Amino acid sequence: MKMNYDLTKYPKLLLKLSKKYGTPLYIYNFNKIEKQYVTMLNSFNGIKNLIINYACKANTNLNILKLLQKLGSGLDAVSIQEIEIALKAKFNPKKIIFTPNCVSINEIKNAVKLGVRINIDNLSILEQFCELYPDYPIGIRINPHIMAGGNKNISVGHIDSKFGISYYQVPHIKRIIKNNRINVEGFHIHTGSDIYNIKSFLKGIKILFKTAKDFPDLDYINMGSGFRVAYKKEDIKKTDIYPLSKIITNKFNKFCEIYGNNVTLIFEPGKFLVSESGYFLVNVNVIKQTISTVFAGINSGFNHFIRPMFYNAYHSIENISNPNGLQRLYTVVGYICESDTFGLNRKISEIHEGDLLCIKNAGAYCFSMSSNYNSRYRPSEVMIINGKDFLIRKRETMNDILKNIVEISV
Ligand SMILES: Cc1ncc(COP(=O)(O)O)c(C=O)c1O
């Protein structure tokens, strides 16, 4: 029987997994990741040369990388460590684009040693790179001066952002390239995450075309990502990938015709591929009734799941132990000694102490942003593939907390 992609349709399964592995627990449904990958490929099937590079900062579990590599995905990496994980997952270095920001030239040198493609976002680094590696093709990240994205922390393409080389500095780029006879193989933009207004993507591609037309030997144009997924039932604030892909395909193919070459179009989705595949299971430690609020206090906090607190992100919360109970208002909070609210005044089926709650859209920027704050262990991770569960990361222990401590005797 084909499973529904939404695992909250299977409360018994989630309860069973919570008992088997304990909570807090991350669960990823690989079939959903695969579906998203195929949706992306199909939406842009009018493009002759298309590459999807998974932005692995969203979730770097080695097993997710290995499975995406098998599907044919390339990879977007932002640190030397992400490159190392990707190589361990058997990505061909030429399918990895390294797009760092404010890293040292030494980190970029190490990436060159590993043979990956380099994407530069700073004029000073561009000059140093040209001196060091006149024969190494490079990509250039342009700052298109577009304000987009669901939150100021994830709006990265505007004029005051630290990312990319300003669109107005393209003449400067040209000068450096000409003086050093460097081969620019691609141009890249990424304006932010959680973008549902397709106009932002269209503004971005226009700037890429304008920049690219003066560079005759390009291999690719990289549109970055920012596709917003649904965070609630009937969420209208998601990127409508089908109309967007039609418009982009049309514009891109016209550009290739004028340019005289079928350059590759690259996307580097993180959230689109993995967000909805993920579920975060927690148990309710306490119900705390105050004069204004009913709190449900769970066995987790922003140490495990920081998006609601850091980005004011909305994540649906369901009571798996009592899915059909009477709906009541709860404020779901963590156990960290700071305010860590997962959901404010949410309508959730009646909660009792000990109940299992599921926080949805937990596949992207959740585990990968977790920490040991309050000396708590990071949770385990489980992958579901065709209904079968696999432990893909063990829960931490005190040994993990203490292993790098050097005890001194004073
Ligand atoms: C350069 C770059 N590309 C791609 C992404 C992935 O974005 P998203 O998760 O919105 O798809 C990011 C996210 O921060 C990024 O910085």
Side-chain angles (χ1 to χ4, degrees):
M1 188 191 71
K2 203 163 181 282
M3 273 184 89
N4 191 303
Y5 289 111
D6 181 356
L7 294 185
T8 55
K9 301 276 183 261
Y10 306 100
K12 278 193 190 142
L13 171 71
L14 295 183
L15 280 164
K16 194 178 100 191
L17 294 174
S18 76
K19 297 246 160 57
K20 182 169 172 185
Y21 297 103
T23 65
L25 176 69
Y26 276 102
I27 298 178
Y28 311 115
N29 180 3
F30 182 69
N31 298 88
K32 176 67 179 171
I33 300 178
E34 186 176 38
K35 177 172 183 278
Q36 293 297 96
Y37 182 79
V38 171
T39 299
M40 189 114 208
L41 281 183
N42 289 345
S43 317
F44 289 95
N45 64 6
I47 306 272
K48 188 152 187 262
N49 300 319
L50 176 77
I51 291 183
I52 295 173
N53 280 354
Y54 170 51
C56 73
K57 62 183 87 61
N59 192 324
T60 37
N61 190 296
L62 180 65
N63 297 285
I64 292 183
L65 266 61
K66 278 165 98 171
L67 288 163
L68 277 164
Q69 188 274 335
K70 279 200 183 133
L71 288 182
S73 174
L75 198 108
D76 159 49
V78 291
S79 70
I80 196 78
Q81 291 80 8
E82 284 188 352
I83 296 173
E84 283 168 16
I85 300 173
L87 294 176
K88 207 171 163 47
K90 300 270 185 296
F91 278 89
N92 177 331
K94 290 289 159 239
K95 290 190 87 172
I96 301 172
I97 299 186
F98 181 42
T99 300
N101 174 259
C102 293
V103 304
S104 72
I105 190 72
N106 283 338
E107 186 162 336
I108 295 177
K109 282 186 197 170
N110 288 336
V112 169
K113 274 189 209 145
L114 295 175
V116 302
R117 294 173 118 172
I118 306 289
N119 191 17
I120 288 178
D121 90 332
N122 176 348
L123 286 173
S124 141
I125 292 286
L126 179 62
E127 281 174 330
Q128 294 176 60
F129 192 91
C130 292
E131 284 267 306
L132 285 165
Y133 307 104
D135 299 322
Y136 207 95
I138 47 158
I140 295 181
R141 177 173 185 170
I142 296 292
N143 179 327
H145 301 220
I146 295 171
M147 182 53 101
N151 179 283
K152 71 173 174 26
N153 290 356
I154 48 176
S155 293
V156 292
H158 57 84
I159 193 161
D160 296 317
S161 156
K162 65 171 184 155
F163 295 92
I165 300 176
S166 166
Y167 171 54
Y168 296 129
Q169 291 172 311
V170 171
H172 203 133
I173 296 174
K174 281 185 184 160
R175 226 171 15 248
I176 297 172
I177 298 306
K178 199 172 156 208
N179 289 346
N180 293 280
R181 295 207 194 111
I182 271 272
N183 172 16
V184 179
E185 62 170 357
F187 279 102
H188 166 253
I189 58 163
H190 172 74
T191 58
S193 277
D194 276 353
I195 305 167
Y196 63 91
N197 185 347
I198 65 173
K199 281 189 191 148
S200 302
F201 293 98
L202 300 180
K203 271 192 218 162
I205 198 159
K206 203 168 159 190
I207 286 187
L208 276 171
F209 291 158
K210 266 189 168 176
T211 311
K213 71 174 177 11
D214 295 338
F215 292 78
D217 302 317
L218 293 184
D219 182 48
Y220 68 81
I221 282 182
N222 185 343
M223 278 197 71
S225 180
F227 304 107
R228 194 182 198 280
V229 294
Y231 281 86
K232 327 177 176 172
K233 262 187 217 147
E234 317 306 334
D235 203 338
I236 49 154
K237 283 188 165 183
K238 64 175 184 211
T239 315
D240 239 334
I241 191 103
Y242 281 109
L244 177 66
S245 61
K246 274 213 166 70
I247 304 171
I248 288 182
T249 301
N250 201 350
K251 287 186 185 295
F252 189 77
N253 288 340
K254 274 194 189 135
F255 169 80
C256 288
E257 238 178 85
I258 297 166
Y259 188 73
N261 195 355
N262 272 321
V263 288
T264 299
L265 179 62
I266 301 180
F267 288 104
E268 41 191 30
K271 225 167 255 176
F272 186 82
L273 293 183
V274 295
S275 173
E276 292 159 290
S277 78
Y279 302 82
F280 188 47
L281 297 185
V282 292
N283 281 108
V284 177
N285 283 338
V286 290
I287 296 291
K288 182 168 179 175
Q289 167 102 53
T290 69
I291 45 177
S292 61
T293 307
V294 183
F295 290 104
I298 62 175
N299 62 348
S300 180
F302 75 63
N303 51 329
H304 298 150
F305 198 113
I306 203 170
R307 296 195 75 257
M309 306 86 192
F310 198 42
Y311 302 124
N312 206 15
Y314 182 100
H315 285 259
S316 284
I317 305 174
E318 294 184 23
N319 186 355
I320 301 302
S321 302
N322 184 22
N324 304 315
L326 208 63
Q327 300 272 298
R328 293 191 183 280
L329 280 183
Y330 295 94
T331 290
V332 178
V333 292
Y335 58 12
I336 288 295
C337 287
E338 256 171 69
S339 291
D340 56 349
T341 302
F342 284 80
L344 187 70
N345 285 329
R346 294 284 185 83
K347 264 194 183 160
I348 301 174
S349 301
E350 184 162 342
I351 303 178
H352 299 100
E353 290 179 354
D355 277 0
L356 183 72
L357 303 189
C358 177
I359 304 173
K360 295 175 84 171
N361 284 70
Y365 308 104
C366 291
F367 188 95
S368 62
M369 293 180 82
S370 66
S371 76
N372 289 119
Y373 189 47
N374 281 195
S375 296
R376 297 285 185 184
Y377 308 143
R378 266 181 274 234
S380 29
E381 295 179 293
V382 163
M383 176 90 85
I384 308 276
I385 307 176
N386 299 329
K388 213 168 166 252
D389 54 288
F390 301 87
L391 181 66
I392 58 168
R393 188 190 301 266
K394 288 191 271 185
R395 187 176 308 284
E396 287 181 340
T397 64
M398 188 43 77
N399 192 37
D400 296 300
I401 306 273
L402 292 177
K403 68 181 177 218
N404 292 326
I405 295 293
V406 180
E407 269 192 275
I408 55 168
S409 339
V410 277

